[in-house]
Amino acid sequence: MANLETILSWFQTGDNPTEEEFRQTFSSFRHNDTKIPIKDVDGLESSLNNKLNVNDFVKDGKIRADKIEALGLTDLIESNESNISEFITNFYKYEFQQNDFIAVPDEKGNFSLYLFKGGEKNDKNNYLPTGISNVTIGMVKGLQNELDKKIDLPVTDGNFYIKKSSGLTTTEILVDDTLATVVNKNNYSPKGIAFIEETEGSGNPGKNGVLGANKNTYSFFFGNMNPNHTGVYNIAFGYDSLPSVTSGQINTVMGHYAAKSLTTGGANTVMGYESATGLTTGNDNTLIGVSSGYNLKGGTGNSMFGKWTGCFIAGSSNTFLGYRAGQHWGKGGSGLWSSNIVIGANTSGHPNGIWGENNLILGSNIELIGAQNNRFIINNFLGTANRWYATHFIEGNFADRWLRFDTSLQVLRLPAADVSFTKDVVAKPDGTFGLEDKKDYVPLSGTAIGKPFTGNIELEKFIDFYWHDDNGVRRAISTQSDSFSIYSGSEISDYAKEIQINAERGIYASEDLSSWYSENSFIQKRYVDSKVDLVISNDTQSSSSYTLRKNDAQDGDLSYMKIKGTFDIPANNFIFLEFPKNVDIGIQKVTGKYVDEFNAVQYVDFVVETNVDSETRIINNSEIFYKEVIINATLVGVAKNYAK
């Protein structure tokens, strides 16, 4: 076939075309009845290949999910203008995009095809002619079928999906899904959903932000729980939350780095950033708060509530409650330390270290240091200070079994005592209490009516009883080792007006009280002596008799009565003393004196002897006869039933 310029040269004015030239001329054009293959339309096949095949993207009326990203749309735009220039002027009336075909009709219904290659739509250079004109769709073999396989572009903005129904393929608006619509689609995720890429921009799911569940262990997680664990019913939320768990089970962990090292431990409840980070094999722990139980390791049965509670301890059965409660406990010493209870904010222990077991500490800001064992403390302070050396409001020791109060003590609502109460509470000067057998005490106000003394009263010797009046304290009664005295003096040191009961002298007064006697007064011996006559005679019953009265007493001796008289010593050396009836008086000692032949005073002692007939005689041991002797006889005893 010849090209168009060659053919035109054959038919210039004056030319006589040959048969061969006519044959090549007509062979260079297609008859109206001849279909044009797609491959003979310049660029059409490649353009069609750039269009999507509906059957590749649609199945059962729905878009195939694995083809969504590869989906591209094209269209054949039918122009209302009669040439491409007019179309370009009115391009804004049409919706088309790169690689779409523009079909420009003529008055006969034929079309010229242009391919829009992209770029500015008002630039004619961006529309490529296909070299096809006066061509209808029906003239292109298979074109209508191929175009039917294509999808019309949406005419509005938005998200769309491809729908094929009853052989018709359309684009439909894609409505945004809600959580309810997604759930109602009965979808599930066969593996965890990663929220963090393995490496940024890779599109590969990472391991540190996975939300998922293990269908074999029924463990739920959001973070990076060890996916190969075998322990059942674990829950972990947070980065590095249970990343090392193996056979540990029934653990509930929330917080970044919480239970980071736990492997086989079970039934632990852990909540808070870095809580139980060091826990490995421990069981049954409840740890809530930032860094609570940080270094617990294999500890079991611990309960810790509050930020920085129990950060160093590794033992079991500890309870720490409050901000920093027991924070430094276990920092020091060589044991794991168990069975401690610390309740109170900032009762952390000294930063230099505190350790020990079996302690109960209640109160805020109590700072202890070093080894602490078996201690019981209740106290409270407004701020932390070094008070480890101070006594506490209440403290005790569980091992030594003592309890101490640094405060006054009041006990309310005590039961009323009855006969079953047999002990009295007593105290030492240091405040130590003790029990002793119950004693009945006489109250200062005296005994109550109907509750008299029912037993003996024993007094120590040298006991004084006092009474008090507006003038001060007065001595009232006094006991000595051998006597009992009653006073009516004015001062404590004043022993005036004493009445004494003495084993040897009986009832005795410190002075003569006879001037105060009344009708019913008890009387003194002196008063009796002044009223009773004592008749003393010698053995010869001489006419001489001697009456001794009170004023014969010597030397102011108030304890003994002195008898003195002048006697002639008889030949038998006896002087008999005769007492009145009803007078019982004995002679204790008799002394005498006389003047000898040299006119010198001589002294002599006599022996006092009482015979069976109760006669009292004075025996002369000095072989003095017929001498006039002055006798002093000391009498002891009392006058009984005398008559005036």
Side-chain angles (χ1 to χ4, degrees):
M1 292 186 297
N3 57 37
L4 182 59
E5 292 181 355
T6 300
I7 292 174
L8 292 176
S9 67
W10 292 338
F11 293 93
Q12 293 177 355
T13 302
D15 289 339
N16 295 306
T18 65
E19 179 182 353
E20 180 63 25
E21 290 175 338
F22 274 103
R23 183 171 47 252
Q24 290 189 32
T25 297
F26 285 105
S27 296
S28 300
F29 298 95
R30 295 184 187 274
H31 193 269
N32 188 50
D33 293 333
T34 303
K35 302 294 184 182
I36 303 174
I38 292 175
K39 64 182 182 62
D40 292 341
V41 180
D42 186 26
L44 179 59
E45 186 174 17
S46 62
S47 295
L48 291 175
N49 289 335
N50 289 332
K51 303 295 182 178
L52 61 86
N53 189 322
V54 174
N55 292 329
D56 291 337
F57 291 85
V58 178
K59 183 178 182 181
D60 297 329
K62 297 180 181 180
I63 298 175
R64 289 176 52 181
D66 58 336
K67 296 296 184 178
I68 291 177
E69 291 185 2
L71 183 61
L73 299 178
T74 188
D75 204 353
L76 180 63
I77 308 302
E78 184 177 352
S79 173
N80 293 322
E81 288 74 22
S82 59
N83 58 65
I84 190 63
S85 298
E86 292 179 357
F87 174 84
I88 294 173
T89 301
N90 298 314
F91 76 88
Y92 58 87
K93 296 180 180 181
Y94 302 91
E95 292 289 339
F96 62 98
Q97 62 184 8
Q98 183 178 2
N99 296 329
D100 282 345
F101 286 98
I102 311 301
V104 181
D106 59 15
E107 65 277 3
K108 295 180 180 181
N110 296 319
F111 292 88
S112 297
L113 295 180
Y114 296 87
L115 178 66
F116 177 62
K117 68 177 183 180
E120 296 295 332
K121 292 182 178 181
N122 58 358
D123 186 352
K124 188 176 181 179
N125 294 323
N126 292 329
Y127 296 87
L128 302 178
T130 63
I132 301 174
S133 61
N134 298 321
V135 177
T136 63
I137 293 177
M139 294 173 61
V140 181
K141 183 179 180 180
L143 178 59
Q144 186 65 56
N145 291 333
E146 292 299 323
L147 292 176
D148 289 341
K149 296 178 182 179
K150 306 304 177 180
I151 301 173
D152 294 335
L153 288 174
V155 296
T156 60
D157 294 336
N159 297 319
F160 299 86
Y161 70 96
I162 299 172
K163 179 180 178 181
K164 184 175 183 180
S165 177
S166 301
L168 179 63
T169 302
T170 59
T171 56
E172 303 288 339
I173 295 177
L174 180 63
V175 179
D176 291 339
D177 276 327
T178 64
L179 180 60
T181 58
V182 172
V183 173
N184 288 333
K185 291 178 181 178
N186 297 321
N187 292 327
Y188 82 99
S189 175
K191 60 181 180 179
I193 300 174
F195 290 85
I196 301 175
E197 292 180 299
E198 183 176 19
T199 57
E200 186 175 357
S202 67
N204 297 322
K207 300 179 180 179
N208 294 330
V210 178
L211 175 64
N214 188 311
K215 65 180 182 180
N216 297 319
T217 64
Y218 288 92
S219 295
F220 300 156
F221 55 90
F222 186 11
N224 58 333
M225 177 193 285
N226 177 17
N228 299 318
H229 67 274
T230 59
V232 298
Y233 306 124
N234 293 295
I235 297 176
F237 285 84
Y239 175 69
D240 261 4
S241 173
L242 290 182
S244 305
V245 65
T246 55
S247 61
Q249 59 185 5
I250 321 177
N251 296 289
T252 301
V253 180
M254 298 186 69
H256 294 317
Y257 304 102
K260 177 181 178 180
S261 302
L262 190 142
T263 55
T264 61
N268 297 288
T269 300
V270 181
M271 182 180 297
Y273 174 76
E274 287 190 338
S275 56
T277 293
L279 182 65
T280 55
T281 60
N283 303 304
D284 306 315
N285 298 288
T286 301
L287 312 169
I288 299 176
V290 173
S291 299
S292 60
Y294 184 90
N295 196 40
L296 204 51
K297 297 180 181 178
T300 296
N302 296 282
S303 297
M304 302 180 188
F305 303 88
K307 183 179 181 181
W308 296 335
T309 53
C311 291
F312 292 90
I313 203 162
S316 301
S317 302
N318 296 288
T319 300
F320 297 144
L321 175 59
Y323 170 66
R324 297 181 64 213
Q327 177 182 4
H328 299 294
W329 211 287
K331 188 178 181 180
S334 59
L336 300 178
W337 316 123
S338 300
S339 300
N340 296 289
I341 299 176
V342 178
I343 300 177
N346 286 314
T347 300
S348 59
H350 197 281
N352 288 344
I354 178 174
W355 58 90
E357 296 185 317
N358 197 37
N359 296 281
L360 173 55
I361 314 297
L362 304 177
S364 298
N365 300 303
I366 302 174
E367 190 171 75
L368 304 174
I369 190 172
Q372 307 289 331
N373 292 283
N374 306 305
R375 297 198 67 181
F376 170 60
I377 295 176
I378 297 179
N379 213 341
N380 210 64
F381 300 100
L382 292 176
T384 303
N386 293 327
R387 295 188 178 91
W388 51 269
Y389 54 83
T391 58
H392 295 281
F393 189 75
I394 300 175
E395 62 181 313
N397 188 287
F398 295 112
D400 296 337
R401 315 304 295 175
W402 58 263
L403 183 66
R404 180 168 59 208
F405 298 81
D406 188 6
T407 180
S408 60
L409 180 64
Q410 291 182 337
V411 183
L412 305 179
R413 300 183 184 275
L414 290 175
D418 54 26
V419 294
S420 64
F421 289 73
T422 60
K423 298 291 183 181
D424 286 331
V425 179
V426 294
K428 291 181 179 181
D430 64 0
T432 303
F433 290 105
L435 294 177
E436 65 179 12
D437 290 337
K438 183 179 179 181
K439 296 181 177 62
D440 291 328
Y441 296 96
V442 180
L444 294 177
S445 59
T447 59
I449 296 176
K451 294 184 178 180
F453 285 111
T454 58
N456 297 324
I457 298 177
E458 181 179 350
L459 302 177
E460 294 283 348
K461 60 183 179 179
F462 307 117
I463 299 296
D464 290 332
F465 296 86
Y466 300 92
W467 57 275
H468 185 279
D469 62 11
D470 294 339
N471 296 320
V473 180
R474 306 287 185 265
R475 180 179 284 104
I477 299 175
S478 178
T479 64
Q480 291 84 36
S481 60
D482 58 355
S483 63
F484 178 83
S485 300
I486 300 175
Y487 300 93
S488 61
S490 59
E491 300 292 340
I492 292 179
S493 60
D494 187 358
Y495 289 88
K497 297 182 180 180
E498 174 189 7
I499 297 177
Q500 185 182 91
I501 300 175
N502 186 284
E504 296 180 355
R505 290 176 286 181
I507 299 176
Y508 171 81
S510 61
E511 60 183 76
D512 185 1
L513 303 176
S514 60
S515 61
W516 300 92
Y517 289 164
S518 64
E519 183 67 24
N520 296 316
S521 296
F522 289 96
I523 61 175
Q524 296 172 272
K525 176 181 180 297
R526 285 186 175 184
Y527 184 75
V528 174
D529 289 345
S530 68
K531 302 299 182 182
V532 178
D533 291 334
L534 299 181
V535 179
I536 303 176
S537 63
N538 58 23
D539 184 62
T540 61
Q541 299 295 321
S542 66
S543 59
S544 299
S545 65
Y546 301 90
T547 299
L548 304 179
R549 300 188 182 278
K550 175 182 176 182
N551 56 8
D552 293 319
Q554 285 186 340
D555 305 327
D557 187 347
L558 301 180
S559 300
Y560 299 96
M561 188 70 176
K562 300 293 186 179
I563 298 178
K564 65 180 180 179
T566 302
F567 295 84
D568 290 332
I569 301 300
N572 58 11
N573 284 341
F574 294 114
I575 299 175
F576 290 93
L577 301 180
E578 182 181 354
F579 299 96
K581 185 178 181 180
N582 297 327
V583 175
D584 183 9
I585 298 178
I587 298 178
Q588 183 184 55
K589 182 179 181 182
V590 178
T591 61
K593 65 180 178 179
Y594 64 94
V595 179
D596 62 13
E597 61 272 21
F598 300 106
N599 202 27
V601 177
Q602 301 294 334
Y603 296 89
V604 64
D605 292 326
F606 297 93
V607 176
V608 178
E609 180 181 291
T610 301
N611 61 18
V612 295
D613 296 326
S614 297
E615 284 187 314
T616 299
R617 60 182 180 176
I618 301 174
I619 302 174
N620 177 17
N621 289 333
S622 302
E623 298 182 354
I624 301 173
F625 306 109
Y626 304 106
K627 294 290 185 181
E628 184 178 72
V629 180
I630 299 174
I631 300 290
N632 286 319
T634 302
L635 304 182
V636 294
V638 296
K640 297 181 179 179
N641 300 321
Y642 75 94
K644 290 185 179 179

